[in-house]
Amino acid sequence: MSRVGRKPIPIPTAVKVSIEPGAVEVHGPKGKLRQIVPRGVRCELNDGELWVRLVREDRSLGKFQGLARSLVANAVRGVSEGFKRELDLVGIGYRAELKGRQLVFALGYSHPVVFDIPPEIDVTVDRQTHLTVSGIDRQQVGQVAANIRALRKPDPYKQKGVRYTGEVLRKKVGKTGA
């Protein structure tokens, strides 16, 4: 049995949930999301809480119950609060500039790097070296942040690159002469 899957999902008052066969549609103040639910799992709405249940008691379906509960809970949180991921550009001359729906980076290459922002995602450049990626879909926010980070991965030795705010870079342990 999944411990995560047995927890109910509290539904805020501003969020409306409609359950369809094989999917859950969530409407909120920030937008709407449709989350597909794996086979063998069904959702039930009771007293302002959403429960994720198994269609039949099968040991192999427990992992899907926890997965479905996490995905639907992320959709509910996304349409009510939203998600954000912050990135820092560390290095001399590293900076970002927002031009319409494109980010233009100076990352130490011989040319500027242009990154197209997907339509569902918002990116703000607070300072030239600090970015905030936000949106309602947790998976997409994380993927866009990872794609931006991949433009210049952080180097643990020189401490330069694009990194998540608060990320700690670790150096590999050297060989011993024993």
Side-chain angles (χ1 to χ4, degrees):
M1 287 295 275
S2 171
R3 292 184 181 168
V4 172
R6 283 188 265 161
K7 292 181 185 175
I9 302 168
I11 306 295
T13 56
V15 175
K16 293 188 178 21
V17 177
S18 61
I19 299 170
E20 303 168 5
V24 175
E25 197 159 306
V26 185
H27 297 274
K30 292 195 176 266
K32 72 174 185 171
L33 286 175
R34 178 182 164 85
Q35 184 59 55
I36 296 173
V37 179
R39 288 186 192 172
V41 177
R42 72 178 192 278
C43 296
E44 300 172 355
L45 195 58
N46 293 332
D47 300 328
E49 291 181 332
L50 190 66
W51 292 84
V52 178
R53 311 243 188 220
L54 294 175
V55 174
R56 65 184 184 282
E57 284 300 319
D58 188 0
R59 199 173 159 88
S60 64
L61 291 178
K63 56 190 169 191
F64 295 119
Q65 182 184 15
L67 171 71
R69 191 238 178 244
S70 295
L71 292 174
V72 173
N74 286 340
V76 169
R77 183 173 165 214
V79 297
S80 60
E81 302 170 23
F83 293 98
K84 71 175 184 173
R85 198 79 160 125
E86 295 184 2
L87 296 146
D88 288 325
L89 279 64
V90 180
I92 295 175
Y94 287 17
R95 63 185 176 277
E97 183 182 356
L98 192 61
K99 289 185 178 177
R101 294 294 297 167
Q102 291 184 332
L103 280 169
V104 180
F105 290 99
L107 296 174
Y109 297 119
S110 62
H111 58 281
V113 179
V114 179
F115 183 83
D116 293 323
I117 303 169
E120 304 85 24
I121 299 295
D122 295 323
V123 177
T124 57
V125 180
D126 302 336
R127 301 181 295 274
Q128 288 184 340
T129 59
H130 186 78
L131 303 170
T132 303
V133 180
S134 59
I136 61 172
D137 189 358
R138 183 176 187 173
Q139 293 173 352
Q140 197 169 20
V141 168
Q143 187 62 52
V144 169
N147 291 346
I148 292 172
R149 183 179 182 266
L151 296 174
R152 185 70 152 198
K153 288 187 179 175
D155 179 22
Y157 298 101
K158 294 184 180 178
Q159 299 291 317
K160 292 166 51 170
V162 180
R163 66 172 91 159
Y164 298 119
T165 300
E167 180 180 11
V168 177
L169 301 177
R170 295 183 176 224
K171 297 178 186 171
K172 291 183 180 177
V173 179
K175 294 182 181 179
T176 58

